[in-house]
């Protein structure tokens, strides 16, 4: 499906804004891994991806290590494709990131593997899925329980009633991630 065909289906779609959102999600997810705080970004990803990251974090803990993504940034990102399935739209993005990739000992704080002196370039293929029957939302998101205004980019939890904002019912979520280089 072309971008123009997709814009006819979703007249609110703006490629630049979408890519900015994806870049921010990427940084937040990888920062949450470094901080061992996946709950803060759980709403940005499918359950499958969340469990994949959670298992990796648990393995790191068992090895008494913490995975560090230091000096993390997005160099470029571009929309590669838009696919239509029976129930959803899948937008695939090629994202070029740079970061230092290393592990720290939880006991000593020393680098156990990887390198913390230079950044590496990593190319990712990320797929974001948006359900066809999503509920239309305003620019300002509202808590489905109490109606309070939400900044969904923060945590996905309402600061007032603590209910969860289920992103998959409203917007794109990360459903596939693959390192390309």
């Amino acid at each position: 499906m072309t971008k123009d065909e997709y814009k006819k289906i979703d007249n609110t779609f703006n490629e630049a804004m979408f890519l900015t959102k994806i870049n921010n999600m990427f940084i937040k997810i990888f920062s949450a891994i470094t901080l061992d705080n996946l709950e803060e970004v759980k709403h940005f990803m499918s359950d499958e991806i969340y469990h994949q990251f959670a298992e990796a974090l648990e393995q790191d803990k068992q090895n008494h290590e913490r995975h560090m993504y230091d000096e993390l940034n997005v160099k470029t990102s571009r929309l590669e494709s838009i696919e239509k399935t029976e129930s959803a739209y899948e937008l695939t993005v090629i994202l070029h990131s740079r970061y230092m990739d290393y592990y720290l000992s939880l006991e000593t704080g020393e680098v156990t593997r990887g390198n913390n002196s230079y950044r590496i370039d990593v190319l990712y293929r990320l797929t974001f899925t948006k359900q066809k029957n999503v509920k239309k939302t305003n620019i300002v998101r509202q808590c489905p329980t109490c109606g309070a205004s939400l900044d969904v980019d923060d945590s996905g939890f309402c600061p007032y009633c603590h209910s969860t904002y289920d992103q998959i019912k409203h917007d794109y979520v990360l459903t596939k991630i693959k390192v390309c280089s």
Side-chain angles (χ1 to χ4, degrees):
M1 169 179 289
T2 68
K3 293 176 207 174
D4 289 335
E5 290 170 331
Y6 186 63
K7 284 180 185 179
K8 288 178 184 172
I9 295 167
D10 181 356
N11 62 0
T12 64
F13 180 74
N14 177 303
E15 184 177 1
M17 289 177 64
F18 172 75
L19 290 172
T20 298
K21 181 188 328 190
I22 297 316
N23 295 348
N24 289 331
M25 276 188 200
F26 180 85
I27 297 292
K28 286 178 182 274
I29 290 169
F30 277 69
S31 295
I33 292 168
T34 296
L35 298 171
D36 188 16
N37 193 3
L38 278 182
E39 284 300 312
E40 288 293 314
V41 294
K42 184 177 184 178
H43 61 290
F44 288 140
M45 58 188 97
S46 68
D47 288 342
E48 181 181 338
I49 296 295
Y50 173 80
H51 291 300
Q52 178 183 329
F53 286 138
E55 286 175 16
L57 279 174
E58 186 56 37
Q59 185 63 49
D60 292 344
K61 287 178 194 173
Q62 289 176 7
N63 293 335
H64 306 284
E65 293 180 316
R66 173 160 294 167
H67 197 164
M68 302 297 293
Y69 296 100
D70 207 355
E71 296 186 17
L72 175 66
N73 73 10
V74 174
K75 190 172 179 181
T76 62
S77 60
R78 67 176 172 80
L79 186 58
E80 181 184 50
S81 66
I82 302 171
E83 301 296 325
K84 182 173 139 179
T85 68
E86 194 171 306
S87 61
Y89 299 102
E90 295 181 347
L91 282 66
T92 301
V93 172
I94 301 298
L95 185 140
H96 181 181
S97 182
R98 298 188 71 212
Y99 51 81
M100 289 189 275
D101 186 9
Y102 59 97
Y103 290 80
L104 291 179
S105 166
L106 291 175
E107 293 148 356
T108 66
E110 294 178 11
V111 175
T112 57
R113 54 193 167 119
N115 191 315
N116 66 342
S117 60
Y118 62 87
R119 294 194 291 173
I120 59 172
D121 286 85
V122 183
L123 199 62
Y124 288 92
R125 176 172 278 115
L126 308 168
T127 300
F128 293 86
T129 301
K130 182 177 183 178
Q131 300 301 314
K132 284 184 177 178
N133 60 350
V134 295
K135 299 173 185 171
K136 296 285 184 191
T137 56
N138 297 324
I139 292 172
V140 176
R141 302 284 165 89
Q142 292 183 307
C143 173
T145 304
C146 73
S149 295
L150 295 178
D151 183 354
V152 179
D153 290 336
D154 278 348
S155 70
F157 299 102
C158 177
Y160 303 101
C161 72
H162 306 290
S163 66
T164 303
Y165 182 86
D166 193 357
Q167 179 111 341
I168 201 161
K169 291 181 180 175
H170 303 278
D171 209 344
Y172 302 96
V173 294
L174 177 64
T175 54
K176 295 177 190 167
I177 181 168
K178 180 181 176 189
V179 175
C180 299
S181 61

